[in-house]
Amino acid sequence: MEEQVVEVEVPSYFLCPITLDVMRDPVTLPTGITYDRHAIHRWLRLADGATSATCPLTKLPVAPDCEPTPNHTLRRLIHSWCTLNPGAAVDSIERVSTPPASANRARLGPLVSRLADPKKPERETLAALREIRDVASESESDRELVAAFPGAADALFAVLVSTSASSEADMALDAISSLRLAEPCLVRAVDRDGMALVDALVSMLQRDADAVSRARAAMFLADVTACMAPSRASSLPEQVFVEAVRLLRDNDGRATAETKAALRVLAGATSYGRNRIKAAEAGAVAALVEVLLVDGGRRRAWCELALCALDRLCGCAEGRAALVAHGAGLAVVGEKVIGTSAAASGKAVRVLRSVARYAATAEVVREMVATGAVTKLCAVAVSPETQERTRERARETLRMHAEAWRSSPCIHPNRYPF
């Protein structure tokens, strides 16, 4: 027989005001309000600046590095209540021990100071970086403690952008990645360090590092470029695109973290005109076409990212020329017009429209028919399941060369909409 779930009213003071779930490890802020440890640590860590951290209920200011006081009495009450109500419709509450936050906090101070010392030997820096990483990996609460500790993240970023030792850079990025910093913290670091941070990550990609370090640098570069202000993101160094293309080629379109990170970099950075030319000259168009060929649409997100980048690259003459020059460029884009996703279809139609409008030599017009791209556009133009904007762009593209395409033996005359 299945165990019957009993409807039992949970005392309101057992619930965390943030998650509204029964607290596993209740802690109390200086404001007198009790929260679950994990929830309040996350709340304080996400605070954008030291002056904006507040108690969620009272709105009173709280220091982001505040260490709440364990509420042992309430925790014992919750455990006792759960023991007396084993059939209650609440998640299982296990006995948890209070993390040794004070001990780890005491360890962090000297470690951060050691990283800030410009005269420290490399071995001491590595030891400090390793210990910070180890503290962060002990538990979720310790990770949040390190992330919120004053100066810890700044010290790690300072090592990453200033060191010339590859071992220090690798260990610093390992520690930063383990913290999974909130977006406001990452944005502040990007605003402060700017291109120095990008240059450091590009240098790591240029080295013959191990696969793990290379993947970590690629993923963090994607995060950094996504957080950059437009004034900086619009003029990224050429080496960013050279390394992104190299990541795609080295992995041959295979499902790796580096491939996805490179696609994110290209899709995001090519929204700016100056970056499009740099990416096209780095060979991004050919690399993206190869990704679409190898992937075959199996990973929808990858397909959408690649087509997004191609759409933006076709906003410049260099990108369009590279696409039509690739033996499979028009064919693979035409294939994605139907059968992948609405977003992929929309991007593929936009690419074909750019080519038809700005790069349509007689040879290109014939190739669009021969590869089946025009047939796919005809299907999209009349499909009620396609988004209206995509249908209209398909019709617009078909009107551009209607005379040549309508008379083609590859197109059934009754299926051409114009």
Side-chain angles (χ1 to χ4, degrees), residues 222-237:
D223 293 338
V224 167
T225 54
C227 289
M228 296 189 81
S231 59
R232 286 178 170 173
S234 60
S235 56
L236 291 173

Side-chain angles (χ1 to χ4, degrees), residues 15-40:
L15 304 179
C16 172
I18 297 176
T19 65
L20 300 182
D21 292 328
V22 176
M23 290 182 280
R24 297 184 68 252
D25 189 13
V27 293
T28 304
L29 289 183
T31 60
I33 306 299
T34 299
Y35 303 91
D36 206 3
R37 180 184 294 275
H38 174 74
I40 193 60

Side-chain angles (χ1 to χ4, degrees), residues 135-195:
V135 170
S137 63
E138 288 181 8
S139 68
E140 181 66 15
S141 60
D142 285 312
R143 181 189 66 77
E144 295 180 349
L145 170 65
V146 177
F149 191 85
D154 292 344
L156 293 173
F157 278 111
V159 172
L160 179 61
V161 301
S162 64
T163 185
S164 57
S166 60
S167 56
E168 288 187 0
D170 290 341
M171 186 62 70
L173 183 57
D174 186 11
I176 292 171
S177 300
S178 70
L179 296 182
R180 303 197 302 274
L181 295 171
E183 185 176 348
C185 182
L186 182 57
V187 169
R188 287 194 296 272
V190 172
D191 289 343
R192 180 186 64 245
D193 298 323
M195 289 304 175

Side-chain angles (χ1 to χ4, degrees), residues 129-333:
L129 290 170
R130 190 177 295 108
E131 192 168 352
I132 289 176
R133 182 201 59 188
D134 292 345
V135 170
S137 63
E138 288 181 8
S139 68
E140 181 66 15
S141 60
D142 285 312
R143 181 189 66 77
E144 295 180 349
L145 170 65
V146 177
F149 191 85
D154 292 344
L156 293 173
F157 278 111
V159 172
L160 179 61
V161 301
S162 64
T163 185
S164 57
S166 60
S167 56
E168 288 187 0
D170 290 341
M171 186 62 70
L173 183 57
D174 186 11
I176 292 171
S177 300
S178 70
L179 296 182
R180 303 197 302 274
L181 295 171
E183 185 176 348
C185 182
L186 182 57
V187 169
R188 287 194 296 272
V190 172
D191 289 343
R192 180 186 64 245
D193 298 323
M195 289 304 175
L197 186 53
V198 173
D199 291 341
L201 294 170
V202 169
S203 296
M204 295 179 71
L205 290 173
Q206 290 173 329
R207 298 199 317 264
D208 293 328
D210 61 89
V212 174
S213 297
R214 190 171 169 81
R216 191 181 294 125
M219 291 186 288
F220 201 62
L221 179 61
D223 293 338
V224 167
T225 54
C227 289
M228 296 189 81
S231 59
R232 286 178 170 173
S234 60
S235 56
L236 291 173
E238 294 179 6
Q239 282 304 119
V240 169
F241 304 101
V242 171
E243 292 306 313
V245 170
R246 191 159 73 95
L247 285 169
L248 294 181
R249 288 175 173 166
D250 287 352
N251 290 281
D252 297 323
R254 291 178 286 109
T256 64
E258 301 99 300
T259 301
K260 185 175 181 180
L263 290 173
R264 286 178 56 204
V265 170
L266 291 175
T270 51
S271 60
Y272 305 100
R274 284 177 287 184
N275 289 340
R276 293 172 187 167
I277 298 175
K278 297 174 185 177
E281 292 177 345
V285 172
L288 291 166
V289 170
E290 295 299 325
V291 168
L292 292 174
L293 284 170
V294 173
D295 181 67
R298 294 189 299 273
R299 287 174 289 272
R300 187 177 69 178
W302 289 35
C303 181
E304 291 173 355
L305 283 171
L307 287 169
C308 177
L310 280 176
D311 173 32
R312 290 171 172 173
L313 284 167
C314 283
C316 69
E318 293 83 355
R320 293 188 295 270
L323 181 65
V324 300
H326 194 288
L330 292 176
V332 74
V333 173

